[in-house]
Amino acid sequence: GSCQGNSVERKIYIPLNKTAPCVRLLNATHQIGCQSSISGDTGVIHVVEKEEDLSWVLADGPHPPYMILLDGNLFNRRVLLQLKGTSRVSGLAVAVAKPNPPQGFSPGLKCPNDGFGVYSKDYGPQYAHCNKTVWNPVGSGLSYEDFDFPIFLLEDANETQVIKQCYQDHNVPHEGSGPEYPLCAMQLFSHMHAVTSTVTCMRRSYLQSTFSINPEVVCDPLLDYNVWSTLQPINSSGKVDPEKEVIIVATRIDSHSFFWNIAPGAESAVSSFVTHLAAAEALHKVSDIHLLQRNIMFTFFQGETFDYIGSSRMVYDMEKDKFPVRLSNIYSFVELNQVALRNDSTLWMHTDPVSRLNESVEAQVRNLLDILSSSSSGANVTLQEAGFSQPLPPSSFQRFLRAQHIPGVVLTDHRTAFQNRYYQSMYDTPENIQMQYPEGLTPEETLEYVTDTAKSLAEVATVVARALYRLAGGANNTSAIQADPKTVSRMLYGFLIKMNNSWFQSIIKPDLKGILGDVPQHYVAVSSPVNTTYLVQYVLANLTGTVVNLTKEECLNPEKTPSSEKEMYDYAWVQGSLDPNSTSRVPYCVRSTVHLSKALSPAFELRQWGSTEYSTWTESRWKDIRARIFLVASKELEIITLVVGIVILVVSLLATYLINAKADVLFSTPRDPGAVAY
């Protein structure tokens, strides 16, 4: 039989295993986020479910410092700034609000990525700093505050209940007076190694790695990879002909929230990149794509939440001739932003009023808008212009405009402020985009079930695909170009509900099956590529690539096959689906034009850690992140225990000394009575 140790620690502490911490991020000038002291922060638990409960913590309670278990509906700027200004609070555990807060909740900024887009004092100053349109009015900026105590999210309702029960049993005040000891306490560990700013932490890390044998790096740049592919294959290691025109279609694939690696991003990212993937599939099914005069490049940018990491890097690479496509090859730019929350099925077309003052740009933008509008006829989507006086919303297109006047349009579900009331928050979940499934479906049935959300996003993808076909010079009737709602359903399920599903398992490489966690998160992170990047890469390859008859050896080493055109295509040996009659899979080789390119801010390539031109976001390193609860005795009892312990120690030392000093008397051997002395 198995034997299990019953340690003292396990008898004292209850660990909280399903938590997400708030961690420290840094940019050129600031540090944001949270941290604990080096040995963790401890406090007596107090449950705060309404604002009146705060007075106990802030003034009346006799046992500070307190660890607050905060109801999710009170997790807002006003409450947190009250707690920030007192020494009576040692930390915060936040319970998720169910249902989502009806008033909306966004810890992001009112003006996302301000200062890193195209508008500045030199370019459209009337639009800079959201002077014309506040895009995220619900934004509280909480994610961009610096807290000197730990804040954890409690992801598991059962653990929240355990804490509440411990509070009920030991900590509830009796008629205004403090509860009796022992009290229920919580300890949170989230000490961060980096301080002040990216400039400081990168300099320290650089000095350590230069002069130390065992360097201790204190922060890492946020980085990952962009995913891109083309409709017609191009030489990924060469350069596109200067005369060849390319239409770029773009979306972001990352999101963010107040807590580390909690970034569902249903409306802010997933709705748009899923629509983009569906449009790419619809276009690849068209028979005459090889005859189109212009190529189409499908681009998925990573790290856009943090001052456009992915798009600024691609523009930088294009300017420095480190990318197959040059800026001068770009014919036009179409970006899908937030598209799932449409009013009356209307999509808004946003353009840049400043570059449109140029006549040639204006003519091309006009043509782009007309093609998009006419492509929606007969579809269940209406496209309308947001208006000439409206600036562009926060978008990757702005980074391209900084470099060159490119005709472009950004498609969104909002004319002015975001429809999304949970932008960059933990509540931007499938429920936010009205994804609903009937009761009692198995995971496999849920994967295949076509929701209304999937149907409406497939409509958008159809319109975008038809418009792109015409923009690229396609002359045939576009009514046959149709995005597949079934594919959209599978993608929404995989990217929002359960990554570890049968479809995702069948389209990835065998050595990547470990990336398929359960609940998908879309935070850019510091170790790359992240799961989202891999999955977008393989979904895109699956939807736009072709199955080729190569053996595993040939597929993994295509350069050995003369007809493989290694520079033009990427080859992937994927797991395949389960054989119905056995437990083994049927793997195969996929050939596609899908590639990865670096999404690391140029500021780190150039070692300009204080850059105002490029993103400078880094994430602090840490050693230990954990949370636990336990019972704590009163100070008096602790002092009595200590004093009694010291007294016993002194007495035992004294006794040992005296016994040792009189040892010859106490332990002398008695004489043998039989021996007589003469």
Side-chain angles (χ1 to χ4, degrees):
S2 69
C3 92
Q4 190 178 357
N6 196 3
S7 71
V8 174
E9 184 178 10
R10 214 175 294 147
K11 288 181 172 177
I12 297 173
Y13 300 107
I14 299 175
L16 303 171
N17 298 320
K18 292 291 292 285
T19 60
C22 153
V23 304
R24 176 170 288 166
L25 299 175
L26 308 101
N27 67 7
T29 51
H30 289 74
Q31 62 178 30
I32 63 169
C34 325
Q35 77 153 353
S36 74
S37 59
I38 197 159
S39 54
D41 287 329
T42 306
V44 172
I45 295 169
H46 191 73
V47 175
V48 174
E49 293 181 327
K50 49 190 187 298
E51 280 206 46
E52 299 82 79
D53 297 340
L54 282 171
S55 61
W56 183 263
V57 171
L58 297 174
D60 307 338
H63 307 121
Y66 284 97
M67 273 284 173
I68 298 176
L69 174 55
L70 189 69
D71 184 84
N73 289 302
L74 291 176
F75 184 59
N76 57 45
R77 186 178 181 86
R78 189 178 69 256
V79 169
L80 260 75
L81 291 189
Q82 279 185 68
L83 304 179
K84 189 178 173 180
T86 174
S87 59
R88 289 176 59 91
V89 173
S90 59
L92 209 56
V94 181
V96 181
K98 291 266 170 54
N100 293 354
Q103 70 279 14
F105 173 74
S106 170
L109 298 169
K110 290 187 189 300
C111 191
N113 292 3
D114 186 22
F116 289 86
V118 70
Y119 302 112
S120 65
K121 64 180 193 303
D122 306 319
Y123 187 101
Q126 68 273 35
Y127 306 121
H129 312 303
C130 295
N131 283 341
K132 184 82 180 168
T133 308
V134 176
W135 295 107
N136 186 28
V138 187
S140 63
L142 261 187
S143 287
Y144 296 84
E145 289 286 333
D146 183 37
F147 295 94
D148 58 0
F149 53 78
I151 303 179
F152 278 53
L153 176 69
L154 300 170
E155 296 180 79
D156 186 352
N158 293 335
E159 289 191 342
T160 307
Q161 200 47 51
V162 167
I163 300 169
K164 284 185 176 175
Q165 192 57 54
C166 190
Y167 167 79
Q168 293 289 344
D169 294 345
H170 299 279
N171 294 13
V172 177
H174 300 295
E175 293 142 19
S177 65
E180 297 291 314
Y181 283 99
L183 297 175
C184 192
M186 185 187 292
Q187 190 171 26
L188 302 178
F189 297 85
S190 64
H191 182 66
M192 299 287 139
H193 294 178
V195 292
T196 312
S197 68
T198 290
V199 179
T200 304
C201 79
M202 287 301 288
R203 187 177 65 238
R204 286 178 182 174
S205 298
Y206 178 68
L207 286 170
Q208 282 266 356
S209 50
T210 310
F211 298 112
S212 172
I213 300 167
N214 298 313
E216 190 171 313
V217 175
V218 292
C219 67
D220 302 281
L222 295 181
L223 80 159
D224 207 77
Y225 288 89
N226 299 323
V227 182
W228 64 276
S229 82
T230 50
L231 195 60
Q232 300 160 350
I234 61 171
N235 185 339
S236 60
S237 54
K239 292 280 175 290
V240 172
D241 288 342
E243 304 81 54
K244 184 70 179 176
E245 292 177 324
V246 177
I247 298 158
I248 292 189
V249 200
T251 46
R252 66 174 59 190
I253 57 174
D254 70 302
S255 187
H256 179 43
S257 84
F258 186 87
F259 298 100
W260 184 75
N261 207 25
I262 301 289
E267 158 76 337
S268 60
V270 178
S271 68
S272 53
F273 76 68
V274 159
T275 306
H276 185 170
L277 287 162
E281 180 192 34
L283 275 169
H284 270 270
K285 287 178 179 169
V286 179
S287 55
D288 63 337
I289 52 172
H290 57 288
L291 301 172
L292 296 176
Q293 67 185 85
R294 299 184 186 98
N295 204 346
I296 298 172
M297 180 170 146
F298 305 103
T299 319
F300 299 83
F301 292 120
Q302 186 58 279
E304 294 300 274
T305 307
F306 295 96
D307 301 336
Y308 307 117
I309 293 172
S311 53
S312 62
R313 179 53 186 259
M314 188 173 279
V315 171
Y316 174 82
D317 286 345
M318 286 178 170
E319 287 176 320
K320 296 280 182 280
D321 262 2
K322 293 178 180 175
F323 196 79
V325 178
R326 300 177 182 88
L327 284 168
S328 54
N329 291 118
I330 301 173
Y331 173 73
S332 58
F333 198 104
V334 177
E335 180 168 352
L336 285 158
N337 219 312
Q338 306 182 69
V339 291
L341 297 174
R342 302 195 302 288
N343 273 341
D344 309 323
S345 69
T346 303
L347 265 189
W348 296 94
M349 301 183 287
H350 298 263
T351 54
D352 171 41
V354 182
S355 58
R356 284 180 72 179
L357 297 172
N358 176 315
E359 281 182 25
S360 67
V361 172
E362 167 61 23
Q364 287 174 284
V365 170
R366 193 70 266 158
N367 174 49
L368 180 57
L369 295 171
D370 292 344
I371 287 176
L372 275 162
S373 298
S374 59
S375 297
S376 68
S377 63
N380 197 11
V381 181
T382 318
L383 276 93
Q384 291 190 30
E385 291 180 48
F388 195 82
S389 60
Q390 269 280 100
L392 285 168
S395 50
S396 310
F397 178 41
Q398 293 201 28
R399 290 303 302 197
F400 284 79
L401 272 180
R402 275 176 82 128
Q404 192 173 303
H405 278 185
I406 295 166
V409 65
V410 178
L411 300 176
T412 72
D413 55 21
H414 55 90
R415 182 177 186 173
T416 52
F418 295 163
Q419 296 274 21
N420 185 3
R421 291 173 305 125
Y422 304 109
Y423 183 73
Q424 286 185 11
S425 93
M426 57 190 168
Y427 301 115
D428 192 1
T429 54
E431 294 76 39
N432 187 29
I433 57 170
Q434 281 98 47
M435 269 174 70
Q436 288 166 336
Y437 295 95
E439 292 285 317
L441 294 183
T442 65
E444 207 55 39
E445 288 166 342
T446 318
L447 172 69
E448 300 294 342
Y449 181 82
V450 180
T451 58
D452 291 342
T453 306
K455 288 175 191 163
S456 75
L457 290 179
E459 293 269 7
V460 177
T462 299
V463 171
V464 171
R466 289 174 181 176
L468 290 170
Y469 174 76
R470 289 180 51 200
L471 277 169
N476 293 345
N477 187 345
T478 57
S479 59
I481 300 176
Q482 196 78 41
D484 183 5
K486 205 150 189 77
T487 307
V488 177
S489 285
R490 287 171 154 195
M491 290 192 283
L492 287 172
Y493 179 78
F495 285 114
L496 285 174
I497 295 171
K498 191 173 167 56
M499 274 189 171
N500 197 4
N501 62 71
S502 59
W503 185 49
F504 277 6
Q505 286 165 9
S506 70
I507 63 173
I508 61 168
K509 290 179 175 177
D511 57 334
L512 288 180
K513 56 178 182 277
I515 68 167
L516 295 176
D518 257 3
V519 181
Q521 305 297 350
H522 307 292
Y523 170 61
V524 53
V526 294
S527 52
S528 60
V530 292
N531 305 1
T532 309
T533 307
Y534 272 132
L535 288 166
V536 167
Q537 179 189 2
Y538 286 105
V539 169
L540 184 58
N542 178 271
L543 299 180
T544 63
T546 48
V547 177
V548 286
N549 190 16
L550 294 177
T551 65
K552 182 177 181 180
E553 195 56 43
E554 290 169 332
C555 192
L556 296 175
N557 303 289
E559 62 280 355
K560 293 178 182 172
T561 312
S563 60
S564 73
E565 298 179 284
K566 172 88 176 76
E567 291 78 31
M568 310 294 270
Y569 295 102
D570 178 75
Y571 290 81
W573 184 257
V574 301
Q575 291 200 114
S577 35
L578 280 168
D579 189 334
N581 304 325
S582 72
T583 54
S584 60
R585 294 183 175 275
V586 187
Y588 56 90
C589 188
V590 175
R591 185 186 75 183
S592 69
T593 59
V594 180
H595 305 281
L596 297 180
S597 70
K598 251 189 195 172
L600 167 66
S601 170
F604 298 100
E605 290 282 294
L606 302 165
R607 298 243 299 277
Q608 295 173 359
W609 302 318
S611 172
T612 53
E613 167 83 1
Y614 298 113
S615 169
T616 54
W617 285 105
T618 52
E619 181 184 276
S620 171
R621 287 202 177 181
W622 58 80
K623 202 169 207 149
D624 193 19
I625 285 189
R626 58 197 168 97
R628 59 191 187 179
I629 62 171
F630 54 95
L631 291 181
V632 62
S634 68
K635 280 278 178 284
E636 292 79 9
L637 183 60
E638 286 178 346
I639 290 165
I640 290 166
T641 309
L642 178 67
V643 169
V644 169
I646 292 169
V647 168
I648 291 169
L649 177 67
V650 170
V651 168
S652 59
L653 286 172
L654 203 59
T656 309
Y657 171 76
L658 290 170
I659 290 167
N660 201 32
K662 303 287 182 188
D664 53 333
V665 176
L666 293 170
F667 305 113
S668 59
T669 9
R671 281 185 183 171
D672 184 355
V676 182
Y678 289 102

